[in-house]
Amino acid sequence: MTLLLDVQNVTKRFGGVTANDGVSLQVRTGQIAGLIGPNGSGKSTLFSAIMGAFPIDGGEVMFNGAPISKLRVGPIVRSGLVRTYQQTRIYSEMTCMENMQVSSRASQGNVLSLLRLKARGVDVRAEDLLAFVGLYEKRFEHAGRLSFGQQKLLEFAMALMCEPKLLLLDEPTAGINPTLINGLIDRLQRANKELGVTLLVIEHNMRVIMNLAEHITCLAHGCVLASGAPEEVRNDPRVLDAYLGAH
């Protein structure tokens, strides 16, 4: 598998706080990779750094063979790199503004209206994606009336509308009813296999990430603590110490 995302010694500081300290990780085309770590370990900050949400203080991010560290969010998304958030942002632009008909009044629209694009044939694609994530029957409902879990599924569909090569998912199962988690995992795996979307997933649910990811990186205090196959990472004493405080 070719290297799709190459994060090289990325450092990000906020004043005197170093959120990411020389972080390196790689994601290969077609892979489902995981990113874990205790709260405050710098995972979401790393996603924001990769996506160009703010300038990094050191290192480089390569995507699909090209440097993207100096690009802003819009060009990065257009190159095929998209993210979702811990808290759903279904009413904000999913950084597909040039393609999506999402206005500042999008919160007043129904579910289908959030996925419609200007190009020809997109209504069919929007309905197909709503069926893919299990929201087809909700397509004419106001998006704000969906449950939190359904909003996350909608955000997932909106991200897929961007036709990403790589999708960064920030805690996709957080706040979702346990009965919906298995269905979401199935859809993530199908997006990977059937739609060809490479995934990098931040996840606190260890059962989920250990069964979902082929390769896992663990952060702690802004640094890479361990990286490898799920079984290796799960049994690494440093990872156990970071999560459980064992000494």
Side-chain angles (χ1 to χ4, degrees), residues 91-109:
Y91 304 140
S92 65
E93 46 81 30
M94 275 296 295
T95 54
C96 298
M97 293 184 298
E98 293 185 356
N99 297 323
M100 272 183 118
Q101 292 179 339
V102 179
S103 71
S104 60
R105 298 176 61 189
S107 60
Q108 302 304 313

Side-chain angles (χ1 to χ4, degrees), residues 132-180:
F132 181 82
V133 301
L135 291 177
Y136 185 79
E137 300 301 321
K138 303 283 186 181
R139 66 193 183 280
F140 297 124
E141 289 194 19
H142 284 270
R145 295 175 186 162
L146 298 179
S147 70
F148 183 76
Q150 290 169 337
Q151 288 183 17
K152 283 212 163 188
L153 289 171
L154 176 56
E155 186 179 38
F156 180 41
M158 291 172 67
L160 292 176
M161 281 295 274
C162 299
E163 300 185 328
K165 295 182 180 73
L166 173 60
L167 179 56
L168 311 182
L169 293 140
D170 196 342
E171 296 194 40
T173 70
I176 292 184
N177 187 309
T179 60
L180 296 177

Side-chain angles (χ1 to χ4, degrees), residues 4-5 29 50-51 63-64 68 71-83 94-96 99 159-168 196-200:
L4 184 59
L5 177 69
T29 301
I50 292 169
M51 290 300 305
F63 177 65
N64 208 20
I68 61 172
L71 299 180
R72 302 303 289 167
V73 176
I76 289 174
V77 170
R78 288 191 290 275
S79 74
L81 178 53
V82 178
R83 76 169 289 186
M94 275 296 295
T95 54
C96 298
N99 297 323
L160 292 176
M161 281 295 274
C162 299
E163 300 185 328
K165 295 182 180 73
L166 173 60
L167 179 56
L168 311 182
V197 181
T198 302
L199 304 176
L200 176 58

